[in-house]
Amino acid sequence: MSGTDNANGIMAIEEFEAALDWQANHAEENGAPCTARVIRALAAVREGETATGRRIAGWHGLTLKDAMPLRMAGGLHHLLLSGEDDRLARVYSGQMTDQAQIDRLVCELVETFDHLLLPWLDGPPQTNEAGRSASIMAGLLWVANKACPRLDLFELGASAGVNTMLDRYHFDLGGTQVGPVGSPMRIKPEWRGQGTPPEPPEAFEVMSVQGCDLAPIDLSDEPAALKLKSYVWPDAPARMARIDAAIQLASQDPPNVVRQDAWAFVSDMLARPQAEGTTRGMFHSIMWQYMPEETQGSITQAMEAAGSAATRDRPLAWIALETDPATFRHELKVRLWDGDEYDGETHVLSFAHPHGAWVEWLAG
């Protein structure tokens, strides 16, 4: 091995270890210490001779940006949920906490189910979390009070459409109530910060919501729904309850999610006629990092071009809950164009818990 190859190998190991440590700490800090122990066990898997271990060891790209540890955590959780193997139940319940024991168990599972676990590394985790819709709805209320309150929305990276159904959820945002009161989905995060979001204006209405995803999940399909649940941390029962509520709502009326590339979808949505007196809005949550930079740039240019043609009667909004790559803090950012007062300036409205447990409102 040349000196350059050796240096690259050391850098890869260091990046892997740093990413694994960050992801495990992140799980612990967000109430999932059992999941954190499973994530830490991937260091031992990397040293093994399984196809999965070799794939992890030779991972190309940024381990953390690709959410590789969460891909594997989902696959391992699926073994339990599907009834394939129940040995991780003792880890997820907190009965087994010794890291060396967990390392051995996870390695044994990978050796036994190598062929089942390897495909979980092929794509990013489908972390479709309804709790994140609290921030999105707060952003929509902000927009509705600044522009036309009747909203025509489209979502990028909708996955199973859990947040595409946000108009069917009931929200309590620090006392601000919005959404059908009889909904089985009750979103009530701990509210922090400077006051509450604005009340829904009298004419507030979500006229329509459509989503896109490269590989949408059909919540009415039991195996597909089980895969989505596998990405939910097993020591986060509130999150699992929200997924179950979303499945219930989707069984009554499936969310409108199309299989399409994000850039093509945005182009189609922006090309549609916009009714006078409606705000067209694009939103997304924790998916922007997974798109190629070229796609990000194309979408940004298209939104800014459409924004330059926006008017008071036909405004355009962009609502995004995404991770700041420098701080890993989840931030709600909104851009609004109306041809008058708002010209696309970015407004940071809140910080948020990764899964919606709390929202820190900044907008006053």
Side-chain angles (χ1 to χ4, degrees):
M1 179 183 289
S2 69
T4 300
D5 289 340
N6 185 57
N8 289 338
I10 292 172
M11 288 176 62
I13 293 172
E14 290 179 347
E15 182 204 351
F16 171 81
E17 291 176 345
L20 208 64
D21 189 55
W22 186 92
Q23 192 66 75
N25 289 338
H26 178 71
E28 288 174 341
E29 291 165 2
N30 289 284
C34 304
T35 297
R37 297 180 188 113
V38 172
I39 290 171
R40 293 190 190 281
L42 298 180
V45 173
R46 186 184 190 276
E47 300 302 317
E49 294 302 320
T50 61
T52 301
R54 290 194 299 271
R55 177 92 177 269
I56 291 174
W59 194 264
H60 296 288
L62 296 174
T63 305
L64 188 57
K65 184 178 186 295
D66 293 340
M68 186 271 283
L70 295 183
R71 301 183 190 202
M72 280 305 301
L76 290 163
H77 188 199
H78 190 266
L79 294 177
L80 176 62
L81 291 181
S82 64
E84 198 73 49
D85 193 291
D86 65 358
R87 283 177 285 175
L88 276 174
R90 295 187 63 222
V91 178
Y92 294 141
S93 65
Q95 296 176 57
M96 181 187 291
T97 59
D98 181 77
Q99 190 63 53
Q101 280 187 295
I102 296 171
D103 290 354
R104 287 193 293 271
L105 173 56
V106 170
C107 286
E108 289 173 8
L109 289 170
V110 174
E111 290 169 5
T112 303
F113 299 102
D114 201 10
H115 64 296
L116 294 179
L117 292 169
L118 186 61
W120 285 80
L121 291 170
D122 290 343
Q126 296 274 19
T127 52
N128 215 197
E129 173 51 60
R132 294 171 181 157
S133 64
S135 293
I136 298 297
M137 180 54 74
L140 293 177
L141 292 176
W142 186 90
V143 167
N145 276 271
K146 307 290 183 184
C148 300
R150 299 167 69 240
L151 307 178
D152 182 13
L153 305 175
F154 59 98
E155 181 188 12
L156 307 186
S159 185
V162 168
N163 289 326
T164 316
M165 298 188 290
L166 86 174
D167 59 321
R168 300 189 230 169
Y169 301 166
H170 182 267
F171 296 88
D172 182 338
L173 307 176
T176 294
Q177 308 284 327
V178 63
V181 294
S183 174
M185 183 72 80
R186 318 292 293 182
I187 306 290
K188 186 180 180 180
E190 177 189 346
W191 202 261
R192 306 174 179 177
Q194 304 173 28
T196 59
E199 293 285 337
E202 184 176 348
F204 177 72
E205 182 180 2
V206 176
M207 305 291 293
S208 66
V209 193
Q210 185 170 344
C212 80
D213 199 274
L214 282 174
I217 293 175
D218 181 1
L219 285 176
S220 66
D221 179 72
E222 189 173 341
L226 190 66
K227 182 175 182 179
L228 184 67
K229 293 176 73 169
S230 298
Y231 289 116
V232 177
W233 296 341
D235 34 0
R239 294 182 62 200
M240 196 67 77
R242 288 195 290 267
I243 287 290
D244 288 335
I247 291 172
Q248 177 185 341
L249 285 168
S251 68
Q252 299 166 0
D253 183 14
N256 185 4
V257 179
V258 298
R259 184 184 301 272
Q260 193 173 14
D261 171 76
W263 160 235
F265 179 71
V266 170
S267 298
D268 288 349
M269 293 297 101
L270 293 178
R272 296 188 313 176
Q274 181 177 352
E276 184 177 358
T278 64
T279 297
R280 173 172 288 162
M282 179 178 77
F283 71 93
H284 50 84
S285 58
I286 321 304
M287 58 76 61
W288 191 255
Q289 70 193 63
Y290 300 123
M291 290 197 301
E293 290 185 8
E294 181 180 356
T295 303
Q296 294 175 355
S298 296
I299 291 173
T300 300
Q301 290 177 11
M303 288 294 288
E304 290 176 345
S308 67
T311 65
R312 290 285 294 176
D313 291 332
R314 292 181 176 87
L316 177 69
W318 182 351
I319 301 96
L321 177 68
E322 295 292 345
T323 308
D324 185 308
T327 64
F328 291 104
R329 185 167 55 187
H330 292 63
E331 298 178 340
L332 176 68
K333 294 181 178 180
V334 174
R335 300 181 69 181
L336 178 62
W337 295 266
D338 67 356
D340 186 14
E341 182 178 355
Y342 294 96
D343 59 0
E345 178 186 354
T346 298
H347 300 266
V348 181
L349 300 187
S350 72
F351 303 137
H353 180 274
H355 305 125
W358 54 261
V359 175
E360 182 180 350
W361 190 247
L362 306 175

